[in-house]
Amino acid sequence: MRFDVVSIFPEYLAPLDLSLIGKARAEGILELVVHDLRSYTADRHRTVDDTPYGGGAGMVMKPEPWAQALEDISAVSAVSDGARPTLIVPSPAGEVFNQKLAYELAGEEHLVFACGRYEGIDERVLDWAASEYTVRPVSLGDYVLNGGEVAVLAMVEAIGRLIPGVVGNPESLIEESHSDGLLEYPVYTKPSSWRDHEVPEVLLSGNHGKIAKFRKELQLRRTSQRRPDLIDALDVSNFSKTDRNVLWDLGYAVVEGRAVRRDNE
Ligand code: 6GU
């Protein structure tokens, strides 16, 4: 898989040399190239921004440096016949990034990230790029960052770790938060008694059936407390009697494969 990142702050992407992603790059499992947008300018001042048509605050990124960079990158794109690279444009105005989108993007051969700064990139770049790329504006969530670089660090890590060979133990991908639509259960390690705080007794019992039930119950409890929106989205048609009882205890009934708050019934 190949990633290209275009930014006016290439040093911002330096953390991608580290840890599991850095190791995967060194091993050739993934290829990642960071490009300085200013190297695609043609004027003496290497200008990348200008004032917005129609007025308003801040500056807008000029289209031509982006076109030069994206043309250069698509020209060397090694996607198979019929496929095209995906252009991800980090923006608080994009679709929201989540684990499902991370899996979808991990299945692509070539992802290009266009890091905007200031008030964003001239919108015509996105329209123009659609002839060579599948263009997807993507947001991390409902808050505003100064530019796309930090969002790209998050997305490359979330996508990269799903590529076979990047995470050493594929088991750790299966059991984690969000892959089953629930938050992860809490974890503990030695010592079993620490500053008057005890590890839950059942985890010391060696009874794996009981442990699995206990963990699922904690997943359901913390998800309903912290992320009730995830409970609403859950498919509970294959839930065991025990799981349904926990849901009931948390104030939900099971109606047509969904958990419904009993006070909304
Ligand atoms: Cl992807 N970019 C920027 N600039 N701000 C954001 C974001 C992305 N996601 C949330 N806020």
Side-chain angles (χ1 to χ4, degrees):
M1 183 168 190
R2 174 161 171 148
F3 296 85
D4 286 271
V5 183
V6 185
S7 164
I8 57 167
F9 296 122
E11 314 81 36
Y12 230 119
L13 287 310
L16 296 176
D17 289 334
L18 304 174
S19 191
L20 287 178
I21 299 294
K23 189 157 162 277
R25 288 173 74 182
E27 289 169 351
I29 297 171
L30 63 86
E31 198 181 348
L32 192 151
V33 181
V34 179
H35 308 260
D36 183 350
L37 181 68
R38 288 193 201 277
S39 69
Y40 295 95
T41 56
D43 65 310
R44 201 160 56 86
H45 300 289
R46 311 221 293 166
T47 313
V48 293
D49 62 337
D50 207 335
T51 54
Y53 276 118
M59 299 291 269
V60 173
M61 294 192 105
K62 294 167 65 63
E64 190 55 24
W66 281 107
Q68 294 295 331
L70 296 175
E71 257 169 5
D72 224 48
I73 293 166
S74 68
V76 302
S77 185
V79 293
S80 350
D81 281 353
R84 41 173 69 208
T86 296
L87 179 65
I88 298 172
V89 186
S91 160
E95 66 179 304
V96 176
F97 187 74
N98 58 22
Q99 193 64 18
K100 179 166 170 281
L101 184 51
Y103 270 106
E104 192 185 320
L105 295 173
E108 298 289 333
E109 290 173 70
H110 190 188
L111 301 179
V112 180
F113 295 87
C115 297
R117 282 262 148 186
Y118 318 113
E119 299 308 307
I121 303 169
D122 187 311
E123 188 69 20
R124 293 170 295 178
V125 173
L126 280 68
D127 306 334
W128 167 85
S131 68
E132 296 290 332
Y133 292 90
T134 301
V135 179
R136 295 184 83 157
V138 177
S139 167
L140 290 193
D142 294 336
Y143 47 86
V144 179
L145 303 170
N146 282 333
E149 286 80 5
V150 167
V152 168
L153 291 176
M155 288 189 270
V156 168
E157 182 152 320
I159 297 163
R161 64 193 293 286
L162 300 177
I163 297 163
V166 174
V167 167
N169 176 8
E171 290 256 325
S172 55
L173 292 179
I174 296 164
E175 278 201 9
E176 65 197 359
S177 273
H178 298 291
S179 54
D180 58 1
L182 294 172
L183 302 184
E184 215 165 335
Y185 51 76
V187 295
Y188 305 89
T189 187
K190 292 173 274 297
S192 66
S193 179
W194 172 76
R195 298 193 181 209
D196 290 337
H197 292 255
E198 309 299 321
V199 169
E201 188 89 33
V202 57
L203 298 180
L204 313 177
S205 71
N207 183 334
H208 294 289
K210 256 180 131 170
I211 291 171
K213 268 189 199 159
F214 174 77
R215 286 177 164 168
K216 182 71 174 282
E217 172 166 351
L218 292 186
Q219 281 191 281
L220 288 165
R221 286 191 183 282
R222 60 159 50 163
T223 306
S224 91
Q225 186 168 40
R226 300 176 186 175
R227 294 293 305 278
D229 57 306
L230 295 182
I231 301 280
D232 298 337
L234 217 49
D235 174 3
V236 297
S237 48
N238 293 321
F239 266 37
S240 67
K241 186 75 190 132
T242 315
D243 296 340
R244 284 161 199 254
N245 284 338
V246 174
L247 281 176
W248 182 268
D249 196 40
L250 293 169
Y252 295 90
V254 172
V255 181
E256 291 169 4
R258 297 267 155 198
V260 188
R261 282 221 64 90
R262 293 211 300 282
D263 48 28
N264 284 347
E265 248 184 317

